Amino acid sequence: MLKTYICDDNNSHRTHFEKQIENYNFINGTDFHVVMSTANPHEVVEQIKKVPEIALYFIDIDLQTDIDGLELARQIREYDSWGFIIFITTHDEVMPLTFKNKVSALDFIEKESALLGEPVIADCLATVWKKMGQFTPGINETLTLKVQDKHFSIKLSDIYRIESTGEHRKVTVIEQNGYLHISALLKEVYDSLTEDFVYTGRNCIINKNHVVSYDSKNRLLHFDNNTTCSVSTRTARSFRL
Amino acid sequence: MIITILMTLSSILSIYAGAVNLRTQKLGWKCCITLFIWLTAAYLTVGSLGQISIVICLAGVQIILYLFTKNLLTCTFAFLGYLVMVALNYLCTSMLGLFHIDMELISTTYAPHFSTFFWILTYVVTFLLGILTRKLLSKYPVSLSRKTSILLYLDVLACSLIFITNVVFGERLGYPKAVLIVNAVLFLTFIAITSFVLIITIRSIQREEAAKATISQLQEFQLYTDKIYQTMRSFKHNYVNILSALDGYIEQNDMQALKTYFDENIVANFNNISPDLTLLGSLGNMKIREIKGLLSTKIVKAMGKNIQFYIEISEPIESISMKPIDITQVLGIFIDNAIEETERTEEKLLHIAFINMNDFLRIQISNSCLAESYDMDKLQKDGFSTKGENHGLGLSSANSILSHYNDIVHSTRCQNHIFTQTLDIYTKQ
């Protein structure tokens, strides 16, 4: 079962959503349980304060009250950091990047398409149900680096390798589908890492968990995202995997 | 014998210090060794020709530096290094003159002492000046156009030629004391004045260019607002048409026809009827003029290529802790690359968001791209590009600007045919 909240100031929209969810449950055998359908965002916050658990939220952006949908989402995130937030918007209001970054919104439903009968609600429900199945809270250890006395965190399991760039005291953190530049000293970074991480040379640290094979002839490590990394002669001995 | 070697070495090393210590970039050991070998060779072969040999030495230094770095600014600074050396030389000799020390004695008995002392002095002074220049350049990076850098180079070249001529004639005349002092004073003021004038000129040129850019941005923005106005007018026109059609059906009370009309003309064309005004409203939140100008220019550019360009600025952005010239340059490069890439895709989507994340300002540029994901090893290398040389150059110069800021986290990702550049700019305390 997944608790589902709907917050929209328009009565007929809410009914439409409730009906769509009910239909979806009936057809697909899922269990989205609408526990609250309201026009008042504060009611939602009051409710989840009592029992914080992972839930699904459909939130209208323009709630015609003292707070808007984005602020409601922000308050929800204080109690439910892994829940699924889906915004109901009109085309002109959509700010997908902003909402995704600020409150990790999962998706957006455009009122126009929802009311014009496109299967957008069903699509969202399908995605959420699939994600529910895969969800494992697990340990999320992070590497926390300081920038201007503030913190910047990177999930350890996301890191493939870390290299120093040689200039301006910056390091490059390489992840599965991207990389980032951040100012830090490699040695200091190494000290705050777990033992899954090892040096492969003076300027490079790798995450052993992502290594698939070691080519000892060319001293090359192969990672699971098809990248490679060379190993210095000095450290090569420890890589007879 | 030892004295001769010592003196030769001192002379070579002081010219070498002038050429190398004021460097604006890393030269690499190969370049340094080539320079040193050249100076030694030149000194040993044509050194006996007196100060004329200096001309040959310097010409070689300039050629070597240019071949290794391809950077006129580095060559210019090498010349400046030489000028500093000459100025120091004058200063020293005139000091000696002031204290009534016999020049004859200096150039004979105390020659080794003097040249060693002079070498160390040159080395220390140019070394300190070099650190200062590099600090200043990294703090206020100058991006000179090819034309200005050639002009700057010629100015310094002319200055050096006058110097050398003066020194050569001075040598012929046997360095009278009064002339030396006057020379030193003249040259020092000359250096000061030209540097000052140059800096002022460069600044005013930059200001002028910025003004020109603003004007052209304004013009483009005008185009954009005109287009918006036209969209609005056609929207109004459509709207009135639709309403009057609906009115007709209602008047006749023809429910069936009304339904058909609604389904066929309104539902089916919904996106065509309502104009996309997301852009303009959001842009109003950008309070930094330079970025606003840049964004409107890019909107016009993207519009010409049928790209769907969305700008998200949910809260007013008053300031960014980055210099306007740097942030506009970096964003310009990122957006240009995004436009170039997304143009070749079917979706032609381009999103830019300025998001206030409390601790930092996040600027995210994301576009649809052809590749599902890129090879991270290649992507990470400076200058890598899917689109050939020029494109890559843009990225690497953006990276080099960003490398001067240690309170920015820059990330690049590519996943599910979406390419994303993110800048997290931490606010200064």
Side-chain angles (χ1 to χ4, degrees), chain A residues 92 95-98 101-102 112 147-148 150 152 161 163 168 170 175 177-181 183 228, chain B residues 270 312 315 355-357 362 364 376-377 402 405-407 410-415 424 426 429:
Chain A
D92 287 352
M95 291 210 169
L97 291 181
T98 310
N101 279 291
K102 279 206 152 181
E112 294 93 333
V147 184
Q148 281 271 346
K150 309 274 173 49
F152 188 93
R161 50 179 218 268
E163 290 174 353
H168 304 286
K170 289 214 169 191
E175 299 180 346
N177 298 304
Y179 62 90
L180 53 92
H181 294 299
S183 79
T228 54
Chain B
F270 195 81
E312 300 174 23
E315 293 161 60
I355 310 156
N356 180 5
M357 305 283 282
R362 173 167 286 177
Q364 201 161 61
M376 278 307 127
D377 279 347
L402 289 173
Y405 290 88
N406 55 17
D407 40 14
H410 168 212
S411 64
T412 309
R413 292 205 168 74
C414 185
Q415 206 172 1
D424 290 346
Y426 282 73
Q429 300 297 311

